[in-house]
Amino acid sequence: MEASYHFRASRGTVSLLEEEAARLVADTGYTGYVDVLDGAESLVLHMRIGTAGALQAYTPAGTRAPAYASSMGRALLARLDDAQVMRLVDARLEQATGTAPRTRKDLVAALARIRVDGWDISKGEWVPNVGGISAAVLDNDTGQVFGIGIALPAPQLRDEATERFGRAVREAAARVGKRIGDPYWLRFVSDEG
């Protein structure tokens, strides 16, 4: 029910992200997600099953995860300032898994990189052997932060694939961000121009 509340609250932004998630799934074959930042957690609003390979990541709407522990969550957190982030997640950092940040310094560094790059990657941090690539947008009308991303087998995240998928996810978020007037995406300058 909580996922439906967030979904209805920003239907326009969520609809645009769902369209972009469908495009990402069609282009990559991997499962696509749309999440919202809910306190210190990433909450799945929409999932679209991929068609590629044996792994079919399945994390249905309503599923929650600690925001610092996945690419989706960190992309969402990167849209807040560091002080806000620390108020939300500080006590939870010691429970980190995989390659998730374990200290305040590590998390702040990861968020700074995401703010520059426009996307983040995770490799089996929250769900073992599942990687993710994600980006986020801010709905100025509601103040909610939404994420978009794909999930794929962590071993497939090699340099070339990671960069290609990272650009694809970032561009999907940028298209939505520009349409909804998200200041970050309106001034974002990609490495392609």
Side-chain angles (χ1 to χ4, degrees):
M1 288 172 59
E2 192 171 356
S4 339
Y5 165 77
H6 289 292
F7 182 79
R8 286 191 309 273
S10 285
R11 183 63 184 137
T13 300
V14 171
S15 293
L16 293 171
L17 288 167
E18 284 177 355
E19 291 170 15
E20 288 296 335
R23 182 186 300 184
L24 282 170
V25 170
D27 291 348
T28 67
Y30 296 114
T31 299
Y33 289 94
V34 174
D35 284 31
V36 66
L37 182 62
D38 188 31
E41 297 178 317
S42 177
L43 173 65
V44 177
L45 296 179
H46 176 77
M47 176 193 69
R48 186 176 201 93
I49 296 289
T51 58
L55 172 76
Q56 294 300 324
Y58 187 82
T59 310
T63 301
R64 295 174 167 280
Y68 68 88
S70 70
S71 64
M72 181 70 77
R74 287 189 300 274
L76 293 164
L77 290 173
R79 298 308 306 275
L80 305 177
D81 66 43
D82 291 343
Q84 291 173 300
V85 171
M86 288 308 133
R87 283 192 297 275
L88 289 174
V89 304
D90 198 24
R92 296 171 168 229
L93 282 173
E94 40 194 64
Q95 303 166 8
T97 60
T99 57
R102 287 182 165 72
T103 66
R104 294 174 73 133
K105 181 180 176 184
D106 291 345
L107 181 58
V108 167
L111 298 178
R113 182 188 44 77
I114 296 163
R115 291 173 186 134
V116 170
D117 295 344
W119 61 280
D120 193 33
I121 182 173
S122 60
K123 294 181 180 180
E125 294 167 8
W126 184 246
V127 179
N129 300 315
V130 176
I133 297 179
S134 306
V137 299
L138 172 67
D139 184 325
N140 286 319
D141 292 338
T142 65
Q144 289 185 303
V145 182
F146 296 95
I148 184 170
I150 56 173
L152 61 155
Q156 292 183 13
L157 287 170
R158 292 184 176 80
D159 291 343
E160 183 180 306
T162 298
E163 289 300 318
R164 182 168 38 98
F165 293 143
R167 283 190 305 272
V169 170
R170 179 182 63 202
E171 293 308 315
R175 284 189 292 272
V176 172
K178 289 175 182 176
R179 286 183 70 183
I180 65 172
D182 179 339
Y184 174 82
W185 293 110
L186 290 174
R187 67 178 185 268
F188 186 81
V189 178
S190 74
D191 49 10
E192 290 141 8

